Amino acid sequence: MSPGRLLALAVLVALAAAPFVPMGGMRQYVLHVVIQIFIWSFIGQAWSLMGRFGLVSLGHGAFLGVGAYTTTLLWNFYGLTPWLGVVAAVLLAMLLAFVVAYPCSRFGITGHYFALVTLAVGEVIRLLLIAERDWTGGSLGVTLRAPGSDASLLAIQYADKRVFYYGGLALWLAGLWVWARVDRSMARSAMEAIGEDETAAASVGIHVTRFKLGITMLSAGLTAIGGVAYAQYIAYVNPETLAGIGVSLRIVFAVVLGGMYVLLGPTVGTALTIALSEYLRVVFGVKFIGMAETIYGLLLVIFIIFLPAGIYGSVAALLRRRRVPAAAPA
Amino acid sequence: MLALHEVTAGYGHFTALWAVSLRVERGEAVAVVGPNGAGKTTLLRVISGVIAPRTGTLAFESTPLTGRPPHEVVARGIAHVPEGRRLFPALTVAENLRMGAFLPAARRTFAETLERVHALFPVLAERRQQRAGSLSGGEQQMLAIGRALMSRPKLILFDEPSMGLAPVMVLRLFDLIRKIREEGYTILIVEQNVRQVLKLVDRAYLLEVGRIRMEGRADELSEQDFVRKAYVGL
Ligand SMILES: Nc1ncnc2c1ncn2[C@@H]1O[C@H](COP(=O)(O)OP(=O)(O)O)[C@@H](O)[C@H]1O
Ligand SMILES: [Mg+2]
């Protein structure tokens, strides 16, 4: 077994055993932080599926919101289990992605203009959620209806955080798997070619619209699943945490920070941003609300200028460069 | 093999081609010459499906091609060496060639086609791992042609391949295109380098402000006719 695989296996075993390690009174808190890292890393991976090919979305909150509210409302109003609700959530998010991305692709709206369109879409969804307050509870949000005592599985609501911990772990691993699959596929070379020059890509026979739509809808569908997972875990949805500019930018910050071209980039970035905001919360309490956002913003600017490949991406590239001269025969 | 019938096309309200009719027979090499802005690039874009014609029809091997999207046109056997080469500059030479064989049918015969392209352009084999953007102009043009060959086309469209090349390189390039021709490919080439291109092709058309003004066998048309018409406008 290669050292890399061995390390991965060791990390997996440690992650699987973690909830049973004695941590004094800290267990609930640690689990809470790690669950969030799993879910938001998964969402970051979904975002980077587009971002790495130059499809920068500043409105992924729209897909999170569509996902989270779909399952929540279906459960609250019709008693439909989120296991089925998530199918509707994914389909709706993909439909929204299609409605946004198809005209953009047809009329050549790319780069900054595409980013601005998505930014607007994210805000529109947030405002819709606030406006439809009879259903959505407006800006106050909605709490997931509690299930009967024997219906935890049907409702995906558990008091024991360990259930969400393992669920989140599985979700995160599934996200890594999808990311790696795309990384090895023809879609990757097609998308790279499209990212470099759409006309040239078309001239070698790449169906530009199909690939762009495909990757956008995949990213949107996965993001909706992330939104559902978060809503189930917190058991409460709110337009500010699950739609709009704030959350959309936080996803982007995390991925840019960690690096969007490497498998573990989104995870490293998400872990760092969550750790940072937890730290700021503990140190400054609620005195400096908005402090985290300001620091993210500054970090983002610094990163885009000095470390465009992200922290993890740059370290990985550095290690690779170190290794190559040793390994390659001169 | 390729037939355009009264094709009109343009950009928005602007019309760049007016009722253009043109034929290319199997095994033939045909040139379209004309001054800047005549509509030569637009003509090739219509054939390769980047622009849909407003009116008129296109057919390839007796089946309609009108309004088909580029990926389908490539799959049917038409490769486009676009104006200004349009390589993927950040990808390596090898990766660019691989992208040329993107479609499933071409992917299946990838190794064999690559060998032929390397035999034709040995420099592409030497520079395999180099980024396309770091090649010289002539090498970039060879890569653009090599990439087009990777899709195993029957018809190759060349858009001003000599543009921006040093005179020595231009001669070499025309030699290479002649060689490609001898391998049995059908060729439609757009050029401003009238003298050189007339030595290469069987027939030629003169395109001027979007209309075909002259047409004939290359050996019957004197270069003077074309040059006078095309650039002096008489
Ligand atoms: N993308 C475009 N949008 C609008 N007009 C264009 C575009 N490309 C070319 N044109 C116009 O169409 C005409 C023909 O251009 P083109 O086909 O590039 O000519 P050529 O290749 O013969 O130099 C020119 O007047 C040019 O200005
Ligand atoms: Mg031109």
Side-chain angles (χ1 to χ4, degrees), chain A residues 40 47 56-62 64 115 118-119 122-123 240 243-257 273 293 296-297 300:
Chain A
W40 290 103
W47 184 90
V56 173
S57 159
L58 300 180
H60 257 44
L64 276 182
T118 57
L119 186 76
E123 271 306 277
E240 302 305 325
I245 295 179
V247 66
S248 301
L249 291 186
R250 224 169 319 126
I251 299 169
V252 183
F253 291 169
V255 178
V256 171
L257 189 71
T273 49
E293 267 68 23
Y296 288 157
L300 187 73

Side-chain angles (χ1 to χ4, degrees), chain A residues 165-181:
Chain A
Y165 178 90
Y166 288 113
L169 177 61
L171 193 67
W172 175 69
L173 289 173
L176 290 178
W177 181 79
V178 171
W179 202 97
R181 270 298 297 266

